[in-house]
Amino acid sequence: MTTNNIAVLKFGGTSMGTAETMNICADVISNKIKQKEKPFVVVSAVSKMTDTLIKLLELAKNNKKHDLNTVFQASKDRHFEILKNLTKNAELIEKYSKIINAKFAHLFEILNGIILTSDYSEKTQAYVLSYGEDLSSDLMELCLIENGIKGKKINSNKLVKTHGSYLSSDVDFIKTKRAFSKIAKEIENGTIFVMTGFFGGGIDNEIMLLGRGGSDFSGSIAGIALNAKIVEIWTDADGVMSADPRIIKEAKSWEEMNKDIASEMARAGAKVLHPKTISASFYKIDILIRNLFNRAFNGTLINSKLYGDGVKGVVSDDDYSILHLENQDMFGSAGFVAKIGIIAKENNISLDMTTTSETSISFTIKTKTLNKVALKAFNSIADFSIVEDVVKVSVIGENISNNQILEKLFTALKSSKIEPLMISMGHSNNNIGIIIKKNDKVKTIESLHKAFF
Ligand code: ASP
Ligand code: MG
């Protein structure tokens, strides 16, 4: 039950891309305040900054000082460019220049530390990557103040309490709620917090990331911890769509969508939101996906309602490989799949789609997780081959595992001469996956989208 009027507003990288887009965010926030809602803001890093920080880490690790200096300077300039365009107030410029300067100086020291010590631990990586959101939230605070809003930046490592791995940690919601309760009064009194997305903090507030794209999840975590009325994810697309609009021009936007279907879409590769974001709807908090650059569109509302049977999207996920393992001893024997599972676990490889015959098993994995040790181990238990450059296309919807849908699907594939390499349909009733060659991707999505919409 919601007892307050808190709206968590999460702004993504493109929304944080320039002073101009930040000012649009401020306008969204202002409107909420006018409507007597209490915004709690969560921000991503300035667009592409996380990628840049990863690049800087790589350059430091490989002792490429010259390139490191160039990339470092460019990202520093970019933040100062935004700062300069946010305000003309000399006092504010001085205050925020000092903050940004100090952070870049510190970051530079850490990167040089990596060059000197070759320390490239996950803890250090997480710390370096947190600079993106740490800097963007300072700029957003300035933007709000410049717009006459009582903005106050707050670091998420003190609020979002996590444990597990530094690069993709798990949230402890009991501790997190306790931490958030300490700022409830201030929110009540009208402070607009700007929280860094993407990371939480461990026992000593050490930075722990929530995984790539994790700022959406940060929004949901804040929503859950504050028992918010709504979590709004402000992005650069018209909500959840029936296909990627860059591939299908006619892709349609959904005004409402069931949480399980939305989460299936996100897991299957829809870029619009991080799969874990849906967790808020399990706490009965509505999630609204909005487009900052098309505010006329009301967005996609994600909640627990059922919206009727049928296909809701055709989604793709790139960069897979198929591993085929064949062994005549597999027939009727016990424990073969377990052997595969152990090799996968030991090599930190996540198995995706899996299909079997009596003497063979095929599964897909993300190509970048392939490594020589794992390949050798697989080879030691079975004859083995790889098909690289394959893509997973998923048809997602409510109650779609039926002949009617399958007939349409195969008719579409047949008429566009696409041969599926693997197919998966199972208990969930809301996902049919097919593996196809990378070169067939666009044609597959086009023909399936046309068949279902
Ligand atoms: N900046 C982080 C990333 O690019 C988190 C996010 O924006 O969601 O992965
Ligand atoms: Mg994102």
Side-chain angles (χ1 to χ4, degrees), residues 10 13 44-45 50 133 198 211-216:
K10 184 266 167 177
S44 281
T50 309
E133 277 70 11
F198 191 34
R212 280 312 302 270
S215 292
D216 293 345

Side-chain angles (χ1 to χ4, degrees), residues 10 16 31 58 125 167 175 265 272 277 290 298 305 312 319 330 392 407 427:
K10 184 266 167 177
M16 303 298 292
N31 284 336
E58 282 287 312
Q125 292 178 48
L167 299 182
K175 285 187 186 161
M265 297 264 265
V272 67
T277 316
R290 297 279 322 249
N298 283 332
K305 282 188 210 157
K312 300 287 161 31
D319 304 322
M330 209 190 290
K392 181 170 70 176
E407 185 186 6
H427 178 68

